[in-house]
Amino acid sequence: MLSKSIEAALNQQIRIEAESSQTYLSMAVWAEVKGLEGISSFMYDQSDEERMHMLKLIKFVNERGGHAHISELNAPNVSFKSFKFMFEKLLEHEIFVSESINELVHISLQEKDYATHNFLQWYVAEQIEEEAMARTILDKIKMIGDDKGGLYLFDRDIQQLTVNSAAETPSA
Ligand code: FEO
């Protein structure tokens, strides 16, 4: 059974994952409108993954005798000054999510809720991967600079990155 404070903290995380999904959906739309098909498809996949993160939390809260809360969400940005800027925002956002997961882990230990602590380990591992992927992408973008041909190749290759990371992610 979840304590009220753990339930509230998990519900806050449900909201964060839902907002993450909307944030990446908005990025996918922006890239699609700009004709960046590969980047757009990558962002649509990221958005789906965040929804899966949210659903996994919802199921956990409900299974542990809590009540998952579906809340109002903050609207994401709808336009970005460049695709580089957009990926910087993605990394920034993932760092924010990691901090939030760390805080949750901290609370679960404080309350000696080892079931929740164990459940959260999946998110800890996922955040390491997501931050690493965002950093790898940003390194590639820095190499491209203003080279249009480089952007063309990047947009093509990022689809491959999505396929690879999807193949590595076990269905949760
Ligand atoms: Fe679910 Fe990318 O944080």
Side-chain angles (χ1 to χ4, degrees):
M1 188 79 186
L2 294 172
S3 73
K4 282 293 156 206
S5 56
I6 296 264
E7 183 179 350
L10 288 169
N11 272 323
Q12 175 58 22
Q13 192 63 33
I14 287 171
R15 178 183 180 150
I16 289 175
E17 301 293 346
E19 285 181 345
S20 302
S21 181
Q22 292 298 89
T23 295
Y24 299 153
L25 190 59
S26 182
M27 290 178 175
V29 169
W30 180 83
E32 192 160 53
V33 168
K34 295 279 170 195
L36 300 165
E37 289 302 321
I39 294 173
S40 166
S41 130
F42 172 84
M43 288 299 180
Y44 277 120
D45 285 354
Q46 289 303 112
S47 174
D48 285 348
E49 267 202 39
E50 298 303 346
R51 181 176 161 79
M52 184 270 282
H53 296 173
M54 174 193 72
L55 287 172
K56 209 172 153 77
L57 278 156
I58 287 174
K59 297 282 180 196
F60 181 76
V61 168
N62 290 345
E63 275 166 16
R64 300 277 301 151
H67 186 154
H69 190 62
I70 308 303
S71 67
E72 191 182 14
L73 305 176
N74 287 326
N77 287 339
V78 293
S79 77
F80 303 89
K81 62 183 181 204
S82 68
F83 78 101
K84 176 170 180 254
F85 178 78
M86 190 173 75
F87 279 101
E88 281 165 356
K89 289 284 149 202
L90 180 139
L91 175 59
E92 230 173 69
H93 187 76
E94 287 303 328
I95 292 170
F96 160 74
V97 175
S98 298
E99 283 166 2
S100 172
I101 295 288
N102 282 348
E103 188 54 29
L104 261 176
V105 171
H106 177 70
I107 297 169
S108 68
L109 277 182
Q110 257 181 344
E111 296 215 8
K112 297 192 169 79
D113 181 344
Y114 297 114
T116 299
H117 183 266
N118 184 53
F119 167 77
L120 289 171
Q121 297 314 302
W122 184 88
Y123 287 85
V124 171
E126 182 72 9
Q127 282 314 118
I128 292 171
E129 256 187 48
E130 295 210 337
E131 276 190 42
M133 183 167 67
R135 288 196 174 89
T136 305
I137 291 172
L138 275 173
D139 285 345
K140 285 190 201 298
I141 293 173
K142 279 179 201 143
M143 280 194 293
I144 298 168
D146 292 328
D147 179 17
K148 289 263 185 280
L151 172 57
Y152 172 81
L153 292 176
F154 174 80
D155 188 54
R156 191 194 63 184
D157 291 349
I158 196 168
Q159 268 167 328
Q160 198 52 40
L161 200 74
T162 316
V163 173
N164 290 344
S165 80
E168 280 162 22
T169 309
S171 56

